[in-house]
Amino acid sequence: MADTPFSIRRATAADAGAILACLASAFEPYRARYTPNAYRDTVLDANTIQNRMASMSLFVAVSEAGEIVGTIGCQALPSGEGHLRGMAVLPDWQGRGVAAQLLETAEAALRRQSCTRITLDTTEPLQRAMRFYENNGYRRTGCVADFFGMPLFEYAKVISKP
């Protein structure tokens, strides 16, 4: 299964349930370290996934068998900055290049929208994600916000125009 191919495509409304399942599966190991409201805002529900899909471009990684194995959202902000949110990869697919391909796809979409800086936010329990982002050129900005009673660390990366 390690060499099972996958593809990345833009998410559709029909993908909402599978995206919710992916988020829930990827974040379940961290649930006890999240506040209840932070966890709900991270894994979404039937209503909030619709809001996310309306306000952001969502991408999914799809296995050869048609299973959604990863997701990411991105949004070009009025400031000209891009923002990433909701990166998740099913546990069985982690470490197989899915996250890197999702990140590359989202960055390319933001670059096409003339963004030259991309931000994302993450929480302390997600140390592996922090290392992944740092290995892909993201750096802590020093901005720390409150995320439903948890510290939320901002990362940023400068990208070139297309």
Side-chain angles (χ1 to χ4, degrees), residues 52-76:
R52 175 94 36 104
M53 293 182 103
S55 65
M56 302 186 90
S57 296
L58 268 59
F59 296 93
V60 290
V62 184
S63 73
E64 208 170 41
E67 177 186 22
I68 289 180
V69 299
T71 185
I72 192 171
C74 65
Q75 178 181 32

Side-chain angles (χ1 to χ4, degrees), residues 5-143:
F6 61 91
S7 59
I8 308 290
R9 65 169 171 76
R10 190 172 291 272
T12 68
D15 297 324
I19 291 170
L20 290 174
C22 182
L23 288 164
S25 180
F27 285 95
E28 181 61 31
Y30 306 99
R31 184 181 206 148
R33 299 193 56 203
Y34 272 66
T35 64
N37 287 336
Y39 189 77
R40 273 191 295 280
D41 191 71
T42 299
V43 300
L44 306 176
D45 62 30
N47 292 323
T48 54
I49 186 69
Q50 296 307 318
N51 295 339
R52 175 94 36 104
M53 293 182 103
S55 65
M56 302 186 90
S57 296
L58 268 59
F59 296 93
V60 290
V62 184
S63 73
E64 208 170 41
E67 177 186 22
I68 289 180
V69 299
T71 185
I72 192 171
C74 65
Q75 178 181 32
L77 303 173
S79 65
E81 184 172 279
H83 187 70
L84 302 178
R85 181 130 198 239
M87 164 82 86
V89 176
L90 292 178
D92 287 349
W93 284 80
Q94 291 175 9
R96 296 166 60 182
V98 175
Q101 292 263 343
L102 284 165
L103 183 62
E104 184 178 302
T105 299
E107 288 178 350
L110 292 170
R111 194 176 288 113
R112 285 190 301 275
Q113 295 177 67
S114 299
C115 296
T116 56
R117 183 174 187 263
I118 301 174
T119 61
L120 62 90
D121 301 303
T122 192
T123 59
E124 188 277 326
L126 303 179
Q127 293 295 312
R128 183 175 177 194
M130 289 178 177
R131 286 189 302 276
F132 169 77
Y133 291 125
E134 289 167 0
N135 288 339
N136 283 279
Y138 288 81
R139 298 294 173 251
R140 281 193 189 200
T141 66
C143 293

